[in-house]
Amino acid sequence: MSQAKVPVWVNVGLIPLFNIMLALLASALVFLAIGENPIEAAGYLLYGAFGYDEGIGYTLYYATNLIFTGLAVSVAFKAGLFNIGGEGQAYIGGLGVGLVCLWFDSSLPLLLIAPLAIIGGALFGAAWAYIPAYLQARRGSHIVITTIMFNFIASSLMVYLMVNWLKQEGLMSPISRTFEESAWLPYLHDLLAPLGIDMGDSPLNLAFILALLCCVFYWALVWHTRWGYQLRTVGTNPTAAQYAGIDNAKVTIWVMLISGALAGLVGVNEIMGVNHSLLLNFTAGYGFAGIAVALMGRNHPVGIILAAMLFGALYQGGGELAFEIPTITPEIVVVIQGLVILFSGALENMFKGKIEAFFLRRAAA
Amino acid sequence: MKGALLASATALTVAMSSAYAADIKPAVVYDQAGKFDKSFNEGVYNGITQYTEDTGIKIRESEPKNEAQVEQNLRRLAKRGYSPIVAVGFTMTSAVQKVAQDFPDVHFTIIDSVVELDNVQSIVFKEHQGSFLVGALAAMASETDTVGFIGGMDIPLIRKFGCGYEQGVKYVTPNATVIQNMTGSTGAAFNDPTKGSELAKSQFSQGADVVFAAAGGTGIGVYQAAKDEGKLAIGVDSNQNHVQPGTMLTSMVKRVDAAAYKVFEEAQNDTWQPGIEVLGLADGGVDWALDEHNQALISDEMKASMADIKAKIISGEISVHDYMSDSSCQY
């Protein structure tokens, strides 16, 4: 065991793939049970997610949100903190983005608004994470409980602000005025059109690039800075960290600020990139899905990108599936997502030992 | 594999379009509460089910689960030549606005909101009038001169219900107390019977003996609490008198089913028109419900004064203030 090593591709590629296949197999049984052809359903799912330009665009658009929230959950997890508040932090981050856009859209060009909005979203998201972080670090209130509660407070605050202050007069729905075009993040299909690349009409926008940059930032921060080392030490063994002279409370607060800022960037994609106005419920559960993405991605940026793409594909392909086959309700699509999480998260070790043993034996032979 | 998928997808589309080729290709997009929400969306569902039964024309249904999917599905339906496309609920306003601009030849109808484009028909209801009526009835039935209102999510539309209700109560009993509570601040507030029941009990303990729930599925809990404590409750959107017979004083009905039915009928007869259609008491868009389940609770005297108030609202003698007109309930 000590000499023979399992090839890396088995651990990062084969086992996750195997688990996903199992999940799809279990989903196939569900489809058979409701009397639908699983092959046809899988066809729609794959075709919807990857089969045409627009579908790919939507998959990547969903993935953008999930990369942000996945990174947010993951970075806190590195310090041993379970940030369940991505939803609320994304919500308030969106508020920050929206306020910047509403404020400057008629006076500044996009080149200035975009960085301001990104800073606004990150600041608001971080501020929302600060209070639970402070309570955890200085008062010992458990972060899981406080961040969950802050999701509800965020939601109430947004409704109050939207209904009483930011709503456009004379409209039934609580939605702000539409931003001037100078505050719209460009769509990738618009950017790529002059280069002769036809992407179809999808909401995929520049925020996707921002998400990828955040992955690089995450990788550099966690593994290539002194602070990242402190962070990982606190997460692995807080007592040892303290003994080594690391201020655990300070690391806790800072990592939650970064986590909140990352979650807040969902607002850049949703508010500035797609909706072009401030509205309610744009987070749509991405904060919670981010937890699954972080777990599946094994808290590594590359893994998170892949897991986000998988979930993005399930969102988009699932939407396509529910659209094409009316008997398949959106709830069935949630079942498929649940099975994927179950098999690749909770039941991850079911076959891991056997597959690894197989490769170890082969390496020994 | 991909080729086969594409082929089967295309074959499916072709098969479906040829089936309706001679007729209209109507479609409905429900909002995120889903079509079986026991209230608003289900009203539309009932309307179109009736239509399909009467005419044999199948209606394509779609239930998007987030903002992005709303626009995506509207766009997909438009691209495939469906028309008219009915969008259910105010949450779809901006999506309809965008998609309708891109597909000027496709007809859209949006319920509960207004989109001012040449190919969009907007259907809105005068919920304040219906709420005024049931408020008046609540005041007549109340012995404590204290009545309650339980809203779902705290949004202008629900405040509109509350404001109309309050005016109706005060019209009959000027010094009556109206206790108002909202269930919550997220969409889940429309589907939280437990909290509805808690709020109702709290209002009963403050002296209320009639409570109006404009809260979708949350109302089920309110009605149960009213039954348990021997008080009266008022239903909303669909006629919910049958839910707790003997407890339900009446229901404020909003005829979304009739509205949806009419849209398709108009499309079939080629009389569909863009523009804003406001359905109120006068055209039966809103009303109070009287049937075998609640007639024991309504005396002839009450019936007479309700008819009187209704006539006065229709003639304009009573003008009911609309919360939406100035975002306040000053009247």
Side-chain angles (χ1 to χ4, degrees):
Chain A
M1 185 86 192
S2 54
Q3 281 96 18
K5 270 198 151 179
V6 181
V8 178
W9 62 269
V10 172
N11 248 321
V12 297
L14 185 68
I15 295 178
L17 203 67
F18 191 71
N19 287 328
I20 291 167
M21 284 305 170
L22 273 179
L24 293 182
L25 207 65
S27 313
L29 294 179
V30 175
F31 283 118
L32 283 177
I34 59 170
E36 289 297 334
N37 180 354
I39 307 281
E40 192 192 334
Y44 279 127
L45 193 82
L46 279 175
Y47 175 71
F50 300 112
Y52 57 112
D53 300 336
E54 202 180 308
I56 298 172
Y58 270 94
T59 299
L60 292 178
Y61 147 74
Y62 288 120
T64 307
N65 286 333
L66 295 167
I67 291 174
F68 285 132
T69 55
L71 288 176
V73 173
S74 170
V75 74
F77 206 69
K78 286 280 179 224
L81 299 166
F82 216 2
N83 178 14
I84 313 279
E87 192 80 6
Q89 289 143 17
Y91 215 168
I92 300 298
L95 173 68
V97 173
L99 289 180
V100 169
C101 291
L102 285 172
W103 213 322
F104 295 116
D105 63 348
S106 49
S107 56
L108 291 180
L110 178 69
L111 269 178
L112 290 175
I113 297 182
L116 279 177
I118 291 169
I119 294 169
L123 269 184
F124 271 58
W128 202 248
Y130 175 75
I131 307 171
Y134 173 83
L135 291 173
Q136 164 79 46
R138 308 281 181 205
R139 293 281 176 271
S141 317
H142 204 287
I143 197 111
V144 169
I145 306 295
T146 46
T147 46
I148 289 179
M149 295 200 290
F150 264 70
N151 289 339
F152 289 102
I153 303 175
S155 157
S156 301
L157 179 70
M158 283 299 284
V159 170
Y160 170 77
L161 290 175
M162 289 307 301
V163 172
N164 293 294
W165 301 100
L166 296 167
K167 187 177 99 75
Q168 193 180 352
E169 278 303 313
L171 261 195
M172 182 68 89
S173 57
I175 182 167
S176 78
R177 73 176 168 83
T178 307
F179 311 145
E180 303 287 329
E181 284 205 31
S182 59
W184 294 16
L185 219 50
Y187 289 116
L188 280 190
H189 61 82
D190 286 340
L191 287 180
L192 294 178
L195 304 177
I197 305 172
D198 185 16
M199 287 278 297
D201 196 11
S202 78
L204 182 65
N205 59 71
L206 269 188
F208 180 63
I209 309 295
L210 179 66
L212 295 181
L213 288 177
C214 284
C215 290
V216 178
F217 163 78
Y218 174 102
W219 171 79
L221 180 80
V222 172
W223 283 284
H224 296 274
T225 63
R226 185 178 295 180
W227 186 81
Y229 180 73
Q230 291 190 358
L231 171 70
R232 284 177 291 137
T233 314
V234 171
T236 323
N237 189 338
T239 322
Q242 197 165 18
Y243 188 70
I246 295 171
D247 185 345
N248 283 8
K250 206 165 145 191
V251 170
T252 300
I253 290 179
W254 272 102
V255 76
M256 280 303 289
L257 288 178
I258 292 171
S259 177
L262 284 168
L265 292 181
V266 168
V268 176
N269 187 28
E270 283 292 326
I271 298 297
M272 206 179 170
V274 181
N275 288 305
H276 306 136
S277 56
L278 202 47
L279 72 175
L280 293 176
N281 297 330
F282 61 85
T283 49
Y286 297 121
F288 297 119
I291 301 170
V293 168
L295 290 179
M296 272 191 73
R298 291 160 198 235
N299 296 312
H300 191 283
V302 176
I304 286 172
I305 294 176
L306 292 176
M309 300 257 287
L310 171 68
F311 274 82
L314 283 174
Y315 275 51
Q316 160 60 14
E320 183 96 3
L321 179 61
F323 183 82
E324 296 293 354
I325 310 182
T327 46
I328 294 178
T329 61
E331 285 75 18
I332 299 281
V333 177
V334 177
V335 170
I336 304 179
Q337 289 169 3
L339 285 169
V340 169
I341 297 177
L342 182 73
F343 276 97
S344 42
L347 299 180
E348 188 197 326
N349 291 328
M350 191 160 68
F351 294 99
K352 196 172 175 222
K354 288 195 186 96
I355 296 176
E356 280 182 349
F358 171 77
F359 279 96
L360 285 176
R361 250 181 290 139
R362 225 180 57 159
Chain B
M1 170 111 182
K2 206 167 268 176
L5 296 177
L6 255 169
S8 71
T10 336
L12 209 78
T13 328
V14 171
M16 276 180 334
S17 51
S18 62
Y20 305 141
D23 246 317
I24 54 167
K25 270 177 74 174
V28 169
V29 181
Y30 297 102
D31 81 3
Q32 291 162 47
K35 66 177 166 183
F36 297 117
D37 66 347
K38 295 269 176 292
S39 164
F40 181 66
N41 286 284
E42 200 162 328
V44 175
Y45 172 74
N46 293 336
I48 66 167
T49 312
Q50 185 65 43
Y51 180 77
T52 305
E53 261 174 40
D54 292 354
T55 61
I57 298 177
K58 282 219 176 86
I59 294 166
R60 183 68 188 263
E61 295 169 280
S62 159
E63 286 182 90
K65 277 295 154 190
N66 60 47
E67 281 299 324
Q69 277 182 8
V70 171
E71 190 183 326
Q72 193 183 5
N73 287 2
L74 283 171
R75 207 174 278 282
R76 245 189 313 218
L77 288 167
K79 223 178 254 176
R80 296 200 186 160
Y82 285 92
S83 179
I85 301 171
V86 176
V88 184
F90 64 85
T91 51
M92 295 192 203
T93 315
S94 54
V96 169
Q97 178 109 33
K98 276 186 221 166
V99 179
Q101 260 164 357
D102 294 350
F103 294 89
D105 298 331
V106 176
H107 293 165
F108 293 86
T109 296
I110 184 160
I111 299 179
D112 252 9
S113 186
V114 174
V115 172
E116 289 183 30
L117 286 173
D118 290 340
N119 56 332
V120 182
Q121 179 187 48
S122 311
I123 300 179
V124 290
F125 293 87
K126 294 182 180 166
E127 291 93 351
H128 50 293
Q129 293 187 340
S131 302
F132 186 98
L133 268 185
V134 297
L137 190 68
M140 290 178 217
S142 173
E143 286 161 11
T144 58
D145 285 347
T146 306
V147 297
F149 172 80
I150 294 175
M153 184 177 176
D154 189 5
I155 48 171
L157 174 63
I158 300 300
R159 292 188 185 183
K160 181 176 178 181
F161 280 86
C163 185
Y165 178 71
E166 186 184 322
Q167 293 174 63
V169 174
K170 297 271 163 88
Y171 176 78
V172 173
T173 317
N175 59 351
T177 314
V178 183
I179 310 170
Q180 300 205 26
N181 288 108
M182 293 289 177
T183 308
S185 53
T186 63
F190 287 113
N191 195 15
D192 192 349
T194 321
K195 193 156 179 206
S197 157
E198 289 301 317
L199 286 173
K201 282 177 186 159
S202 140
Q203 295 191 346
F204 295 144
S205 70
Q206 294 172 61
D209 57 355
V210 185
V211 52
F212 174 33
T218 303
I220 305 298
V222 175
Y223 313 146
Q224 184 66 47
K227 185 176 185 229
D228 293 347
E229 304 214 0
K231 314 280 187 190
L232 295 172
I234 299 172
V236 77
D237 286 353
S238 308
N239 181 354
Q240 296 181 313
N241 290 355
H242 64 278
V243 179
Q244 301 285 2
T247 296
M248 303 302 291
L249 179 64
T250 182
S251 298
M252 198 292 259
V253 287
K254 183 168 154 184
R255 298 297 307 273
V256 278
D257 52 344
Y261 191 98
K262 205 170 128 225
V263 171
F264 296 128
E265 206 173 42
E266 283 173 358
Q268 200 184 356
N269 302 336
D270 219 12
T271 53
W272 184 95
Q273 288 287 336
I276 304 172
E277 199 164 332
V278 185
L279 301 176
L281 270 183
D283 27 32
V286 293
D287 210 339
W288 68 292
L290 179 63
D291 60 16
E292 73 270 21
H293 298 294
N294 68 336
Q295 59 191 6
L297 296 167
I298 314 284
S299 66
D300 289 342
E301 197 184 329
M302 284 157 98
K303 242 181 265 177
S305 25
M306 286 299 277
D308 177 46
I309 294 173
K310 189 169 160 181
K312 279 183 179 159
I313 295 178
I314 292 174
S315 71
E317 197 176 321
I318 299 177
S319 98
V320 185
H321 174 76
D322 177 2
Y323 176 88
M324 305 292 293
S325 62
D326 60 355
S327 293
S328 78
C329 199
Q330 308 290 325
Y331 49 90

